[in-house]
Amino acid sequence: MSLTAAIQSVSALVSSAKSSSFLGQGVGPETRFTSFSMPLLPSRKLSVCKCVSAAPPTEQTAHKTKVARNANMAKLQAGYLFPEIARRRSAHISKYPDAKVISLGIGDTTEPIPEVITSAMALRAKELSTFEGYSGYGAEQGEKKLRAAIASTYYKDVGIEENDIFVSDGAKCDISRLQLLFGANVKIAVQDPSYPAYVDSSVIMGQTGLYQKDVEKFGNIEYMRCTPDNGFFPDLSNVSETDVIYFCSPNNPTGSAASRDQLTKLVNFARANGSIIVYDSAYSMYISDDSPRSIFEIPGAKEVAIETSSFSKFAGFTGVRLGWTVVPKELVFSDGFPVARDFNRIVCTCFNGASNIAQAGGLACLSEEGLKAMNNVVNFYKENTQIIVNTFSSMGFNVYGGQNAPYVWVHFPGRSSWDVFAEILEKTHLVTTPGSGFGPGGEGFVRVSAFGHRENVLEACRRLKQLYQ
Ligand SMILES: Cc1ncc(COP(=O)(O)O)c(C=O)c1O
């Protein structure tokens, strides 16, 4: 086949894949689609679904293998949230082809990466074309300089050291690697509502029972209800003993950040029960008040906690892919074996190190100029958040989150999240996220994301005022 013919056939495959009706099924929600929208501003790809992993249905397959499907995969709830949102958005666009649909639904960043960061990545890419600058596989745990910079930037006063840090291709990937570390025989606890990757990866690992439709929960997971009534912090006296507690603060989707007192209670609870906390601090740079940025600010946490974090929402690295996980040397299993040594084994087995170009970007993020630039981007989204909070508050809604996170959690008491989602889409051409998609505790809420171009956020708020004022 000639090169041109090969390129043509690849393009044909790609375009048929893009138009496939199977693309909406599959993996963890938050990153499934490029965009729901036809933005008013420089357009990204139009409503293209990212997931290309799903296979054609069996009816069209002539040959069947003898390999049984992983029964744990069959337990998953078909990733119902984001495919369903995409389906409804597509139906909406067919019904209103001229509508300017704006998405405040997905948690993907929209603003360009500051140049001080991209120029470091460009330089590293160029160096790879030289004998002196070329490097192949790096250390699976990440480059020493970057691990040291993460330790000194984010954990300076809490005694976390460079060799406690494992650089990765993102927090979501590390969440799954951590599940692999713990294996199938642990019971996990999650905040309800919560980022869906904790529950789904637990199901895939075989830690759970079946999905129970009546209560909308998986068996053998402890759902820790977080509502306005408890200040979005679970009543730990009602939480049964679990092995691993996934705790995200600032929280996706509620936008709330746990206080020092609350995190002290959580650490003490874990110590009393012999549990390990997996603390997700992917939004810590959005904290405006004195809530802790890291679980390791809490005395005693190093013996009971792991922390995972990411450059995704700090620097717009959702596509670049770079994150890290801290496993302190003080953390040990019941037999005294260091957790970090097993995690190191998992990382060396399942991962070959983060991209060297991405790591150059990470190092630039943590330079003096890079930190300023990241803060500017975060502040831009925080201004968006304020605009959204003000809009809903001025119309009399109870609005949560926003102060310490790029998510606004709006209460529609007594109404179904999906009904509110549908009403907003139908009447304003805006895509939000129904809270119930994050767990039964999210029913009655919608999540509004502040990731968006300013003009789109302002236009969205104008439309919301027309609908609800
Ligand atoms: C709470 C939380 N953790 C982790 C992630 C994923 O981060 P990364 O892009 O580093 O995989 C997200 C993404 O939306 C998130 O909301």
Side-chain angles (χ1 to χ4, degrees), residues 241-304:
E241 276 182 31
T242 51
D243 301 299
V244 183
I245 304 168
Y246 285 84
F247 197 93
C248 176
S249 178
N251 185 268
N252 176 12
T254 66
S256 67
S259 68
R260 197 166 301 273
D261 262 12
Q262 290 171 330
L263 289 181
T264 302
K265 282 191 186 125
L266 182 70
V267 166
N268 289 342
F269 178 76
R271 291 183 75 88
N273 292 312
S275 314
I276 294 180
I277 300 165
V278 174
Y279 189 78
D280 186 336
S281 63
Y283 298 96
S284 63
M285 270 190 80
Y286 289 79
I287 292 177
S288 310
D289 61 18
D290 60 357
S291 305
R293 266 85 173 149
S294 162
I295 190 72
F296 299 118
E297 290 181 35
I298 308 300
K302 274 188 275 182
E303 285 150 358
V304 292

Side-chain angles (χ1 to χ4, degrees), residues 7-124:
I7 291 169
Q8 276 166 356
S9 73
V10 170
S11 313
L13 263 179
V14 168
S15 73
S16 79
K18 278 185 178 167
S19 61
S20 161
S21 61
F22 308 122
L23 299 184
Q25 302 170 5
V27 293
E30 197 59 283
T31 52
R32 226 176 248 139
F33 307 99
T34 45
S35 166
F36 295 122
S37 63
M38 293 184 290
L40 300 173
L41 272 188
S43 175
R44 300 167 68 190
K45 272 166 244 145
L46 179 72
S47 58
V48 175
C49 168
K50 267 183 190 166
C51 170
V52 289
S53 64
T58 44
E59 309 82 89
Q60 288 175 18
T61 308
H63 173 79
K64 282 191 185 124
T65 70
K66 286 186 181 163
V67 180
R69 185 176 182 208
N70 178 343
N72 296 319
M73 295 301 295
K75 289 182 199 165
L76 288 169
Q77 289 307 293
Y80 66 95
L81 173 62
F82 281 82
E84 179 60 16
I85 292 173
R87 193 190 63 71
R88 292 187 187 212
R89 191 240 337 117
S90 295
H92 185 79
I93 289 174
S94 307
K95 189 170 164 194
Y96 302 105
D98 297 328
K100 293 267 183 266
V101 176
I102 298 175
S103 174
L104 298 180
I106 196 153
D108 195 2
T109 45
T110 55
E111 303 310 293
I113 299 172
E115 216 170 303
V116 57
I117 299 164
T118 50
S119 49
M121 288 194 277
L123 186 67
R124 185 72 192 98

Side-chain angles (χ1 to χ4, degrees), residues 62 106 136 232 239 306 344:
I106 196 153
F232 297 101
V239 173
I306 289 171
N344 189 53

Side-chain angles (χ1 to χ4, degrees), residues 78-206:
Y80 66 95
L81 173 62
F82 281 82
E84 179 60 16
I85 292 173
R87 193 190 63 71
R88 292 187 187 212
R89 191 240 337 117
S90 295
H92 185 79
I93 289 174
S94 307
K95 189 170 164 194
Y96 302 105
D98 297 328
K100 293 267 183 266
V101 176
I102 298 175
S103 174
L104 298 180
I106 196 153
D108 195 2
T109 45
T110 55
E111 303 310 293
I113 299 172
E115 216 170 303
V116 57
I117 299 164
T118 50
S119 49
M121 288 194 277
L123 186 67
R124 185 72 192 98
K126 280 255 178 217
E127 281 172 2
L128 292 176
S129 287
T130 65
F131 282 106
E132 304 73 37
Y134 176 75
S135 65
Y137 291 126
E140 288 92 341
Q141 304 80 1
E143 291 171 14
K144 200 174 155 50
K145 262 165 82 177
L146 180 57
R147 297 173 81 192
I150 291 170
S152 63
T153 307
Y154 295 111
Y155 305 103
K156 190 160 151 259
D157 300 321
V158 295
I160 294 293
E161 295 169 344
E162 168 197 323
N163 57 7
D164 296 321
I165 290 165
F166 295 81
V167 173
S168 76
D169 51 349
K172 192 186 215 178
C173 317
D174 275 346
I175 289 161
S176 286
R177 290 185 199 113
L178 288 168
Q179 295 284 22
L180 215 52
L181 169 81
F182 295 121
N185 296 322
V186 295
K187 179 171 180 181
I188 71 157
V190 292
Q191 289 151 295
D192 174 24
S194 69
Y195 177 55
Y198 317 131
V199 167
D200 281 5
S201 57
S202 173
V203 175
I204 291 170
M205 271 309 293

